[in-house]
Amino acid sequence: MQISDLPYPDPGVPDARSGPRFLLWLGRGQLGGQLKSLAWGMLHFGGVAGLPYAVGLGVDAVVDREPNRLLLVGGLLVLIGVAISVGDAMLHRTAVTNWITAAARVQQLLARKTAELGSALTRRVAAGEVVAVSTGDVEKIGWFVEAVSRFLAAVFAVVLVCVGLVFYAPELGVVVAVGVPLIALASLPLLPRATRRADVQREKAGRATELAADTVAGLRVLRGIGGEELFLGRYREASQEVRRAAVRSARMWALISAIQVVLPGLLLITVVWYGASLALDGRIAVGELVAAFSAVATLLYPLRHFEEIAMAYSFSRPSAKRAARVLSLTRTDPAERPAQAGTVEEPAAGGDLYDPRTGLLAPAGRFTAVVCGDPDLAGRLAERLGGHAMEDRDGGGRGGEEEGAGGSDRDAKDGPSVLLGGVALDDLALDTARRLVLVQDKDPVLLSGTLRELLDVPASGAVESGAALAAAQCADVLDALLQSAPDGVEDPMDARITERGRSLSGGQRQRLALARSLVTDPEVLVLDEPTSAVDSHTEARIADGIAALRGGRTTVVLASSPLLLDRADRVVLIDGGTVAAVGTHRELLHREPLYRAVVTRETDEEQRLAGLRLTELEEALTEIEESA
């Protein structure tokens, strides 16, 4: 895989059982790139290892006054220089390629998992942690993948130098062969402590990132309630904790680096002192002494890669653990996933949408409104109807073990899957289920770009963007976009929408999101409070537009607005997690006090008075009938 070939056609199925297993899986997936990098590394480090011996041979040639041999040594030095230069350049190129391709693979895996889980992801894992995994953690993982080949090539160079010295200058070679492994292993006892400190640093950094992401996401609300300084103070405290943890971690790594400098220096002093005594006794030649000295000095370079691989693994292991945790999440529990999941044929068009858990039935081709007294229950029900819901079984993540609309879980807690035309959504392939049922939640996200790009979504083609914008009452939104557009932009479809539509009001964002959902024209459209941020006059027109545009298509709207409820073909009241009543809006207003309380926002006292007035009216009618 080359950088020009990215992205991967298929990033594969990762081994997400643990962080080390995930790193091993990445390494196996790049075996060809690692071998190529290792080959160039061996050429580079082989030249580095051979340089001291060539220098020693040259010194011996000068001492022995043999110009022909000195000329050969000069040619050898040129070849070694070429090998070092070419090997170093290609090693860097291939190692960086391994790093970028590994990071790209991880990012593709995370993007695919995010698309698969949807909004359920942030209930299992905090949004800040997802951001940390997708940015800093990806770089740490790529760093380790890059460092592996350089480390193996450095090991080759160290072994080559030690073995070569044993044969070239046995008396000094034995000293070096014994001392180098001791130097390489001297830092080993410190690595667990350094790793723990690095883990603490990464954990605190992740928490600070989570806090920053949550603060930025809710900045407008925080400013409204005067809590901005409070959260900024919390972030300052969290950042100081990260700084202190980073200093403690850096101190340990500085100690390891010092050991990697001091011990080779002591070995170099030992070799020079012992070699000089041997040379004075005539037991070794001057060239052998120079070669031994140069070899030990050269070892400082490959030995640094021992420290690098230790650091890379220490920093990448917790990053890989977090990435594996995200990648291991599934829409359904693997132990409970039906064997035929993803192989069931698509249901025939025009099937009813039925939720066995609540008893909610949305007849095909009808406009069904659902009223829930609990807004959280409504949100979970909307996600369940789309097969999106997924709750954390182990209590991890931000959502804990909150009871949810687990449309993907088949346990006693969440009940069986929602059925569309008699077929369970969990048994369908994910892309098929998402195409058949579209859910728009309370706070839909608008991506930055032009309005034309916003509405360029997978759709049936039966609904034009103009019709969808008209049904969603977006005329004033188009005017606002056109007014804020740069000079020269005459078509509002070419006007740009800022990040998350922050330049628009809440009602304008809501209506654009509704238009996007209408353009998609799915078999089943589920809308959760689609008009909560608009005024009553606009809401009435939107209700008429939805009813007209979605005629003959299954539409489910979770709302408590009388204007929307009055346009629905049927209204379902959910109480205590199950269907409590079904009828039209006016029928339920007359016969269901709970429905009336939710829709009209009546207090208990108002309900009591209304009941008394109704009783008095009934008694008066009875008296009139009797007198007649």
Side-chain angles (χ1 to χ4, degrees):
M1 173 64 70
Q2 298 296 321
I3 297 177
S4 58
D5 298 327
L6 295 175
Y8 283 91
D10 179 11
V13 179
D15 186 349
R17 289 176 291 177
S18 66
R21 288 179 182 272
F22 180 61
L23 290 175
L24 182 61
W25 176 83
L26 277 178
R28 287 201 305 266
Q30 293 186 311
L31 191 58
Q34 292 289 350
L35 291 177
K36 185 185 299 184
S37 182
L38 177 60
W40 288 113
M42 292 174 67
L43 176 64
H44 169 65
F45 282 103
V48 172
L51 188 61
Y53 305 113
V55 172
L57 291 174
V59 172
D60 284 338
V62 172
V63 172
D64 297 338
R65 300 180 183 276
E66 295 182 4
N68 292 333
R69 191 171 63 169
L70 183 61
L71 185 61
L72 292 176
V73 171
L76 179 60
L77 286 173
V78 171
L79 291 177
I80 291 176
V82 172
I84 292 175
S85 301
V86 174
D88 187 28
M90 296 306 298
L91 171 62
H92 177 75
R93 180 185 179 90
T94 53
V96 171
T97 298
N98 290 336
W99 171 44
I100 294 177
T101 52
R105 184 191 291 268
V106 177
Q107 287 181 326
Q108 281 187 249
L109 291 170
L110 291 170
R112 185 175 67 182
K113 181 60 64 175
T114 302
E116 175 188 345
L117 301 180
S119 62
L121 175 62
T122 53
R123 292 202 305 273
R124 298 287 296 271
V125 181
E129 184 172 347
V130 176
V131 173
V133 172
S134 302
T135 53
D137 287 338
V138 167
E139 293 185 5
K140 296 295 188 299
I141 293 171
W143 178 26
F144 175 73
V145 173
E146 173 199 10
V148 167
S149 56
R150 287 205 304 268
F151 166 70
L152 294 176
V155 171
F156 166 76
V158 169
V159 172
L160 191 63
V161 168
C162 293
V163 172
L165 271 181
V166 169
F167 285 97
Y168 184 74
E171 293 176 307
L172 290 176
V174 171
V175 175
V176 175
V178 173
V180 168
L182 294 177
I183 295 173
L185 299 176
S187 302
L188 196 60
L190 299 177
L191 288 179
R193 182 178 298 179
T195 301
R196 287 194 297 269
R197 292 189 179 185
D199 290 348
V200 171
Q201 177 192 351
R202 296 298 301 165
E203 180 181 358
K204 291 184 180 296
R207 291 178 181 174
T209 304
E210 293 172 19
L211 181 59
D214 293 341
T215 302
V216 171
L219 192 57
R220 179 175 298 180
V221 177
L222 291 175
R223 286 175 175 170
I225 62 176
E228 182 181 3
E229 287 301 323
L230 175 62
F231 275 80
L232 288 177
R234 291 181 180 177
Y235 179 73
R236 292 190 190 99
E237 182 180 349
S239 65
Q240 289 301 313
E241 291 182 2
V242 174
R243 181 189 62 80
R244 288 190 289 269
V247 170
R248 292 186 72 249
S249 177
R251 286 173 180 168
M252 185 56 63
W253 289 112
L255 178 59
I256 293 175
S257 298
I259 292 174
Q260 294 294 321
V261 173
V262 171
L263 292 185
L266 294 176
L267 178 61
L268 186 62
I269 293 173
T270 301
V271 168
V272 171
W273 173 77
Y274 182 54
S277 62
L278 293 177
L280 290 175
D281 294 339
R283 297 165 61 183
I284 63 172
V286 175
E288 293 175 339
L289 174 60
V290 172
F293 171 80
S294 301
V296 175
T298 302
L299 283 177
L300 291 174
Y301 172 53
L303 283 175
R304 282 202 297 268
H305 291 80
F306 285 68
E307 177 189 353
E308 182 192 16
I309 195 65
M311 291 183 65
Y313 180 72
S314 298
F315 280 93
S316 66
R317 187 176 60 84
S319 297
K321 181 181 178 181
R322 278 192 292 270
R325 178 171 179 256
V326 174
L327 295 175
S328 64
L329 300 176
T330 57
R331 296 177 66 227
T332 59
D333 190 326
E336 299 171 353
R337 190 192 305 268
Q340 72 273 20
T343 62
V344 176
E345 293 185 2
E346 179 179 329
D352 297 339
L353 183 70
Y354 176 66
D355 178 17
R357 181 183 178 190
T358 60
L360 171 64
L361 173 67
R366 304 285 297 279
F367 183 177
T368 302
V370 180
V371 176
C372 298
D374 182 3
D376 292 335
L377 175 61
R380 295 196 299 268
L381 177 59
E383 292 178 345
R384 177 174 170 78
L385 293 176
H388 292 198
M390 176 188 63
E391 301 302 332
D392 192 353
R393 296 176 175 273
D394 56 7
R398 190 169 55 186
E401 292 198 2
E402 169 190 357
E403 182 182 0
S408 303
D409 294 336
R410 294 176 170 267
D411 53 12
K413 172 183 174 183
D414 287 340
S417 169
V418 170
L419 305 177
L420 178 60
V423 177
L425 288 182
D426 285 350
D427 294 346
L428 297 172
L430 180 61
D431 57 348
T432 302
R434 294 282 172 84
R435 176 172 52 82
L436 292 174
V437 183
L438 174 66
V439 177
Q440 177 180 309
D441 59 19
K442 290 186 181 68
D443 187 21
V445 175
L446 300 183
L447 301 178
S448 58
T450 65
L451 181 57
R452 194 184 309 278
E453 292 170 342
L454 176 70
L455 300 179
D456 185 16
V457 293
S460 66
V463 178
E464 298 293 334
S465 59
L469 290 167
Q473 300 298 308
C474 293
D476 63 315
V477 185
L478 299 181
D479 293 339
L481 288 174
L482 198 56
Q483 289 176 4
S484 61
D487 295 338
V489 177
E490 299 179 355
D491 189 349
M493 297 296 291
D494 295 326
R496 294 195 64 82
I497 300 172
T498 57
E499 181 187 2
R500 300 179 68 90
R502 298 188 188 280
S503 61
L504 303 173
S505 67
Q508 290 173 330
R509 290 196 300 269
Q510 200 172 55
R511 282 177 282 163
L512 283 181
L514 176 59
R516 180 179 58 188
S517 299
L518 294 174
V519 165
T520 303
D521 188 37
E523 180 74 20
V524 178
L525 177 60
V526 180
L527 304 172
D528 186 8
E529 294 287 358
T531 58
S532 59
V534 300
D535 61 82
S536 58
H537 297 290
T538 305
E539 186 177 31
R541 293 194 293 268
I542 290 176
D544 292 334
I546 293 175
L549 198 61
R550 292 287 300 171
R553 306 287 269 174
T554 307
T555 306
V556 180
V557 177
L558 291 95
S560 58
S561 168
L563 294 172
L564 274 174
L565 299 174
D566 196 39
R567 267 70 169 182
D569 297 325
R570 65 199 304 267
V571 179
V572 179
L573 173 64
I574 303 291
D575 182 34
T578 58
V579 172
V582 180
T584 65
H585 169 60
R586 300 180 186 233
E587 291 172 350
L588 294 179
L589 270 180
H590 179 71
R591 73 168 191 259
E592 292 292 336
L594 177 60
Y595 178 83
R596 186 166 58 250
V598 173
V599 172
T600 63
R601 309 295 197 273
E602 288 182 346
T603 63
D604 292 341
E605 181 63 20
E606 290 172 336
Q607 290 186 54
R608 186 183 67 80
L609 294 176
L612 290 175
R613 287 194 296 269
L614 182 60
T615 302
E616 293 172 356
L617 180 60
E618 290 176 347
E619 291 176 352
L621 290 174
T622 302
E623 291 177 359
I624 293 173
E625 290 175 355
E626 290 176 352
S627 62

